[in-house]
Amino acid sequence: MKAVLCLEPGKLELVDRPLPPEPGPGEAAVDIRHVGICGTDYHIFEGKHPFLAYPRVMGHELSGVVAAVGEGVGLAIGTPVVINPYISCGHCIACRNGKPNCCMSINVLGVHGDGGMAERIVMPAGNLYPAGGLSLRDAAMVEFLAIGAHAVRRSRPEPGQRALVVGIGPIGLGAAIFARIAGLEVALLDTSAERLAFARDTLGFQAVFEIGTDAEARLMAHTDNEGFSVVFDATGNAKAIEAGFTLVAHGGSYVLISVVKDRISFADPEFHKREMTLIGSRNATRTDFEHVMTSMRNGLVSQAALATHRTSLANVVEDLPRWAHQKEGLIKAIIDVGA
């Protein structure tokens, strides 16, 4: 089978590999149809991922068709599926408490092990969700949107609350879309005028703010100087995360979707006087995947607008390096793997 291998930072190659072994009990083989290119994939290509061994087949935003099943698997061959790329142990404290998304020994496709930039993979059948009613292209976008949906669910949203999403790359846009679906009044903050214009003109978010010297004052004026009941950070920037604390309303919540290597500090008196809730949000669960798929089927997500770029498995070795640096107009690039 064909696969795209990142041999080392800055070097991709289309290679021939043996097909994976036949699925064992509880497993299914999936013929990959589409792969969304994630920020993680760009970081792996650029050598910026701290916990990765090369060479690596990247790719964890995946859709496909069931090709074979092992013993005890109820999925029919030919079933179109969304792939949950977070393989959990099933027995640690997080898994026992229904939080496999933060399993103590989680294995994420394309990061801890080889991923889906290949023609076939074998997965635990429990990580495959039937994608009936969705195109396979759209099914490949469920995972990144589920991360935003999970963050919104973690915030325990109440309709009518003011929410701010800081950083509107694909993950931030996912959080904004599902915050709006939850009934929140959503404002967006970013450094990119282009992305803000896309969010306003294409996705319909009218309260957009570009980061500048007076951004905090403009945002506070937007909330009648009360702040936001929920602030979501999706910047991946430590200074931006620290600045976000001042935008949370008294009694509000701050949800950190981003992961940074730096230590984050904040003024404890400000934190306590607001009785602020600080929430980490990692990955997503089946509940979030199902919520995203239902929302897509109901026409609440503009999938066609989000899928801005397309390529093939053969051409990704040229396209991904270019898109890592030339991001004009880029929201989500999708790799077409098979018919």
Side-chain angles (χ1 to χ4, degrees):
M1 69 173 183
K2 299 293 186 184
V4 172
L5 191 63
C6 188
L7 296 165
E8 59 188 39
K11 187 173 182 180
L12 299 179
E13 185 174 326
L14 183 68
V15 299
D16 284 304
R17 283 190 153 191
L19 285 169
E22 289 297 307
E27 294 181 333
V30 180
D31 286 337
I32 300 298
R33 290 292 182 258
H34 297 279
V35 184
I37 302 177
C38 174
T40 297
D41 301 319
Y42 294 119
H43 290 158
I44 291 170
F45 170 74
E46 294 171 323
K48 296 178 180 178
H49 199 289
F51 307 115
L52 187 115
Y54 296 88
R56 175 66 68 231
V57 176
M58 301 179 295
H60 62 271
E61 299 179 5
L62 309 169
S63 70
V65 174
V66 175
V69 298
E71 182 182 350
V73 175
L75 287 167
I77 293 173
T79 301
V81 291
V82 171
I83 298 172
N84 180 336
Y86 320 126
I87 301 174
S88 57
C89 73
H91 55 75
C92 73
I93 185 170
C95 291
R96 296 197 309 270
N97 288 327
K99 294 180 66 68
N101 57 300
C102 59
C103 169
M104 292 176 67
S105 55
I106 199 166
N107 185 323
V108 180
L109 290 180
V111 179
H112 304 105
D114 283 343
M117 287 190 192
E119 292 180 312
R120 180 175 288 192
I121 61 171
V122 172
M123 290 288 297
N127 285 67
L128 306 177
Y129 309 148
L134 298 180
S135 74
L136 284 165
R137 183 210 65 178
D138 291 352
M141 291 191 284
V142 170
E143 188 271 345
F144 89 83
L145 291 167
I147 292 174
H150 182 73
V152 172
R153 185 162 64 91
R154 291 275 289 147
S155 76
R156 298 184 178 181
E158 297 180 11
Q161 288 179 323
R162 292 190 182 108
L164 174 68
V165 179
V166 187
I168 56 167
I171 300 299
L173 286 174
I177 289 166
F178 283 90
R180 181 168 62 185
I181 289 171
L184 304 184
E185 297 179 9
V186 183
L188 308 177
L189 176 66
D190 199 270
T191 59
S192 170
E194 179 192 33
R195 290 213 171 192
L196 290 168
F198 171 83
R200 181 190 63 232
D201 300 338
T202 303
L203 301 183
F205 291 97
Q206 295 306 307
V208 298
F209 298 85
E210 187 173 354
I211 290 176
T213 54
D214 63 342
E216 182 176 341
R218 287 184 287 122
L219 286 163
M220 292 304 291
H222 177 74
T223 66
D224 300 322
N225 290 315
E226 291 185 332
F228 294 88
S229 295
V230 188
V231 175
F232 300 94
D233 178 88
T235 64
N237 182 285
K239 291 187 181 297
I241 292 172
E242 291 179 345
F245 280 86
T246 63
L247 299 171
V248 181
H250 284 238
S253 298
Y254 194 14
V255 184
L256 303 185
I257 315 173
S258 296
V259 180
V260 297
K261 294 173 65 176
D262 309 89
R263 289 183 175 271
I264 302 299
S265 63
F266 55 89
D268 187 65
E270 288 294 323
F271 179 79
H272 268 84
K273 81 178 185 181
R274 298 167 196 239
E275 198 179 53
M276 189 189 306
T277 301
L278 182 61
I279 300 170
S281 183
R282 186 181 185 195
N283 300 328
T285 68
R286 180 164 191 155
T287 296
D288 307 303
F289 279 76
E290 296 285 1
H291 179 36
V292 171
M293 288 190 282
T294 298
S295 298
M296 284 179 158
R297 293 180 187 117
N298 290 339
L300 301 178
V301 181
S302 302
Q303 301 99 280
L306 296 171
T308 55
H309 291 55
R310 297 184 78 165
T311 187
S312 66
L313 200 61
N315 290 335
V316 75
V317 296
E318 296 180 0
D319 290 335
L320 189 151
R322 184 175 72 257
W323 293 333
H325 303 287
Q326 298 176 10
K327 297 188 182 296
E328 183 177 354
L330 176 64
I331 301 298
K332 179 58 60 177
I334 305 290
I335 304 168
D336 299 331
V337 178

